[in-house]
């Protein structure tokens, strides 16, 4: 693990912006994909909220593969290789098994969170289950302050689990072709070795995503690829690989 400071996340964003500007067409493509997923989630929430969890699971399935395409662009630039759209689309195929296992872990965590949230609603919500049109008014009703506190606490635990598992694991799989369990453990170790910096990084991600939703989520077209590229640099800046020393050449026997 590499010791990190509070300025490091800002450097990751700056490097991510350079990657985005070096291949804006590729970045915009992935940004539109992220925006489309957010738009579908919002549309389903307004019209068929019972299907939101299923759609969210689908986004968790697709999202890491899209992010890997952005990591590939940053990886190639780091090595002095020109980014290619086709390479970004197919970079995951060599790591399918590890990616599938990691995505499965994320989906299980998301399903557990769905169950936990239903339990919190059932136990602590005091004014009846809200409709989609009045959900904010119902949630922030003073009678439901206990619910809000418990919901945020439980949601925060699951958010920390997902964030800790995924923050550097996906770029690590692309970079080192490691297995999903080793990548997830390394990611968790990075977070717990640098809790303040990594929480600051998570807060920056959440803040940029929140701002990107104003208006109509169109900011995701830029914020999505920017954060994708920056996440590659977060991995490269927080995990240092010690390459094995080369063995001395054998002496020629006369």
């Amino acid at each position: 693990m590499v010791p990190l400071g509070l300025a490091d996340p800002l450097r990751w964003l700056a490097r991510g912006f350079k990657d985005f500007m070096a291949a804006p067409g590729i970045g915009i493509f992935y940004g539109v994909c992220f925006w489309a997923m957010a738009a579908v989630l919002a549309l389903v929430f307004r019209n068929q909220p019972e299907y939101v969890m299923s759609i969210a699971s689908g986004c968790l399935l697709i999202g890491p593969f899209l992010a890997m395409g952005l990591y590939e662009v940053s990886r190639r630039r780091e090595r002095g290789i020109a980014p290619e759209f086709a390479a970004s689309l197919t970079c995951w195929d060599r790591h399918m098994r590890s990616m599938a296992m990691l995505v499965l872990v994320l989906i299980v965590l998301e399903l557990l969170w769905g169950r936990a949230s239903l339990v919190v609603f059932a136990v602590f919500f005091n004014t009846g289950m809200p409709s989609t049109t009045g959900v904010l008014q119902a949630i922030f009703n003073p009678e439901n302050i206990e619910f809000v506190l418990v919901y945020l606490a439980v949601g925060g635990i699951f958010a920390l689990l997902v964030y800790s598992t995924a923050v550097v694991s996906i770029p690590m799989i692309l970079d080192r072709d490691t297995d999903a369990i080793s990548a997830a453990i390394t990611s968790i170790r990075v977070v717990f070795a640098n809790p303040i910096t990594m929480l600051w990084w998570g807060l920056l991600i959440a803040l940029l995503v929140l701002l990107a939703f104003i208006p109509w989520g169109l900011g995701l077209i830029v914020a999505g690829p920017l954060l994708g590229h920056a996440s590659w640099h977060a991995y490269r800046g927080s995990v240092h690989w010690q390459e094995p020393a080369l063995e001395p050449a054998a002496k020629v026997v006369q």
Side-chain angles (χ1 to χ4, degrees), residues 164-183:
S164 300
T165 302
V167 64
V168 301
S169 56
I170 300 174
M172 178 177 166
I173 289 173
L174 175 66
D175 185 39
R176 310 297 295 195
D177 194 27
T178 187
D179 63 277
I181 301 303
S182 298

Side-chain angles (χ1 to χ4, degrees), residues 32 35 43 61 63 100 123 141 154 158 185 202-203 232 251:
V32 170
W35 172 80
L43 185 64
L61 180 63
V123 174
N141 187 312
V154 176
F158 278 95
I185 291 173
L203 180 62
W232 169 263
K251 294 182 179 180

Side-chain angles (χ1 to χ4, degrees), residues 36-71:
M37 289 194 298
V40 169
L41 270 174
L43 185 64
V44 171
F45 179 75
R46 284 197 299 268
N47 296 283
Q48 300 288 336
E50 64 271 20
Y51 296 115
V52 166
M53 195 63 68
S54 299
I55 300 298
S57 297
C59 291
L60 274 177
L61 180 63
I62 298 172
F65 290 96
L66 292 175
M68 188 172 272
L70 294 165
Y71 303 152

Side-chain angles (χ1 to χ4, degrees), residues 6-229:
L6 294 178
D8 286 309
L10 299 178
R11 281 193 283 268
W12 300 337
L13 283 173
R15 292 169 184 167
F17 181 74
K18 290 181 180 179
D19 289 345
F20 175 70
M21 295 305 295
I26 298 176
I28 292 295
F29 168 80
Y30 286 102
V32 170
C33 291
F34 291 133
W35 172 80
M37 289 194 298
V40 169
L41 270 174
L43 185 64
V44 171
F45 179 75
R46 284 197 299 268
N47 296 283
Q48 300 288 336
E50 64 271 20
Y51 296 115
V52 166
M53 195 63 68
S54 299
I55 300 298
S57 297
C59 291
L60 274 177
L61 180 63
I62 298 172
F65 290 96
L66 292 175
M68 188 172 272
L70 294 165
Y71 303 152
E72 174 66 9
V73 171
S74 295
R75 186 186 73 86
R76 290 171 72 93
R77 290 197 69 240
E78 189 177 89
R79 298 186 177 190
I81 306 172
E84 294 181 1
F85 179 64
S88 74
L89 286 177
T90 59
C91 63
W92 52 267
D93 62 354
R94 300 184 301 275
H95 318 282
M96 187 65 181
R97 181 175 299 180
S98 296
M99 284 296 296
M101 179 61 70
L102 183 61
V103 168
L104 178 61
V105 170
L106 296 178
I107 289 177
V108 168
L109 288 174
E110 192 249 350
L111 292 175
L112 288 174
W113 160 235
R115 287 292 183 181
S117 66
L118 288 176
V119 171
V120 173
F121 261 105
V123 174
F124 294 98
F125 207 81
N126 297 320
T127 59
M129 292 296 284
S131 65
T132 56
T133 56
V135 63
L136 290 180
Q137 294 89 332
I139 287 176
F140 291 104
N141 187 312
E143 296 182 28
N144 291 318
I145 184 64
E146 185 180 24
F147 158 79
V148 172
L149 295 175
V150 174
Y151 192 85
L152 289 176
V154 176
I157 292 173
F158 278 95
L160 180 60
L161 281 173
V162 172
Y163 173 69
S164 300
T165 302
V167 64
V168 301
S169 56
I170 300 174
M172 178 177 166
I173 289 173
L174 175 66
D175 185 39
R176 310 297 295 195
D177 194 27
T178 187
D179 63 277
I181 301 303
S182 298
I185 291 173
T186 300
S187 185
I188 293 170
R189 288 179 60 199
V190 167
V191 172
F192 282 91
N194 301 279
I196 303 301
T197 300
M198 296 310 291
L199 286 176
W200 165 228
W201 176 229
L203 180 62
L204 274 177
I205 293 173
L207 180 61
L208 288 174
V209 170
L210 183 63
L211 291 175
F213 276 97
I214 306 171
W216 306 299
L218 292 175
L220 284 173
I221 296 174
V222 173
L226 171 63
L227 289 173
H229 291 308

